[in-house]
Structure formats: structure tokens, C-alpha cells
Amino acid sequence: FQEKTGFSPFFKLVNGVILVASPVDVDRNPSLSPAVVTFGFADIDGPQSTGTLSITINAVSVEPVTASIAHSARVIAESESIDYVVTTTNTTDFDNDTLVFTISPSVANDLFKIVETTDAVNGVAELRIKQQLDHETTDSVSVTVSVTDPSTTVNVTIDVTIANVNDNS
């Protein structure tokens, strides 16, 4: 058989085999799945006959971002210094998109910050103390670190207990 027409820039027919011609990202363009690939063909040996072959391809969405956290719970003294590393978040983006890190809720955002220590696509982000902690004001907080690429958000949570120290010594 000889390919006469192809339907899409995403697929091609080579020696009778359907191949992916360019990446199919269903996370960014859900209309790509299911895709119906239609090829026109002609018999090049023997009597001339033509026909059409249609195949439906269902692309499977793969989670494009993963994130893990070194500690899901930490106890830190209220006397720890600003920029003290509470924990680290390891991230991978399979689409090589730039990742955006955010912290919530607002009380956590007031107390902590994210510092990216390597590239924003695949790397490590540290959760650090942003301002001096005070056990009497906030004794614990559940911090959600959100890692977002253009199509997906992944959340990791760490429960931080702020330990009291003697303020009068």
C-alpha cells in the first residue's frame, strides 16, 4: 500500500506503520483525543484499487507534573532564623514547562516563602521561614505548596508546628 493522504500533523504512515509525527499533548489540547486518523491508499502491485482506512486513537493523559516533599510534618522552634529551610519539594515536569510555586493559605504565605534552588522545570524548591515566628501568635499551620504548569496543579502539604521557646532568657 502507498499512503495517498494523511489527516494530521500528529501522525504519519511509514511502510504501513502509523507513527507519531509530533507530540500529542492532550493536557493542553483535549480535542486531540480521541483522534480519528484517516489514510487514503492505493495498491501499487497488481490491479489498481483504492480505499480509506480510519483508526481511532485515544491518547492517555500522563500527569505532566510530579511533586514530593521531604517532610510532611515538621516541628521548628520559634527562634529559628529567617531563611531557615523547613523542608524541600522535589519536582519534575515531563513536558519541560516552567513551573510556578505558590503557598497557601494566607497565614502560611505570611510566615513562609518558596525559594527555587535549581531550574524551574525540574528541581528543588525550599520552603523557608519568611518572617520571625512567634508561638504565641501562631502555634501551628498547615502549609500547602502548589506546583503549577500550564495545564496542571499539584499540591503537597506540610504540617508545621511552631515550638515555644523561653522568650525571657
Side-chain angles (χ1 to χ4, degrees):
F1 293 102
Q2 174 183 351
E3 176 187 359
K4 293 188 81 174
T5 60
F7 103 102
S8 161
F10 299 106
F11 302 98
K12 61 185 176 182
L13 185 62
V14 177
N15 297 327
V17 177
I18 297 173
L19 300 175
V20 176
S22 64
V24 179
D25 189 345
V26 294
D27 294 310
R28 289 192 183 164
N29 192 350
S31 66
L32 294 177
S33 182
V36 177
V37 182
T38 303
F39 291 98
F41 58 89
D43 188 353
I44 56 174
D45 298 325
Q48 288 292 321
S49 61
T50 61
T52 303
L53 170 67
S54 294
I55 300 173
T56 301
I57 299 174
N58 291 305
V60 177
S61 176
V62 176
E63 189 69 43
V65 178
T66 62
S68 62
I69 198 156
H71 305 282
S72 60
R74 286 293 310 263
V75 176
I76 56 175
E78 67 181 343
S79 59
E80 290 294 351
S81 62
I82 293 174
D83 280 330
Y84 172 83
V85 177
V86 177
T87 192
T88 56
T89 302
N90 296 302
T91 60
T92 302
D93 185 86
F94 297 102
D95 296 338
N96 292 321
D97 294 318
T98 298
L99 301 175
V100 176
F101 295 87
T102 56
I103 300 172
S104 61
S106 59
V107 66
N109 195 42
D110 292 342
L111 298 174
F112 302 99
K113 63 184 176 182
I114 286 288
V115 176
E116 297 170 31
T117 60
T118 56
D119 69 274
V121 173
N122 298 303
V124 176
E126 297 174 338
L127 180 67
R128 295 185 183 192
I129 295 175
K130 182 177 180 179
Q131 70 176 25
Q132 191 60 52
L133 302 176
D134 182 16
H135 171 82
E136 286 73 29
T137 304
T138 306
D139 62 354
S140 67
V141 62
S142 184
V143 180
T144 299
V145 177
S146 299
V147 184
T148 305
D149 79 350
S151 63
T152 305
T153 298
V154 176
N155 299 314
V156 290
T157 302
I158 178 171
D159 294 316
V160 180
T161 301
I162 300 168
N164 197 19
V165 296
N166 185 350
D167 295 333
N168 298 321
S169 57

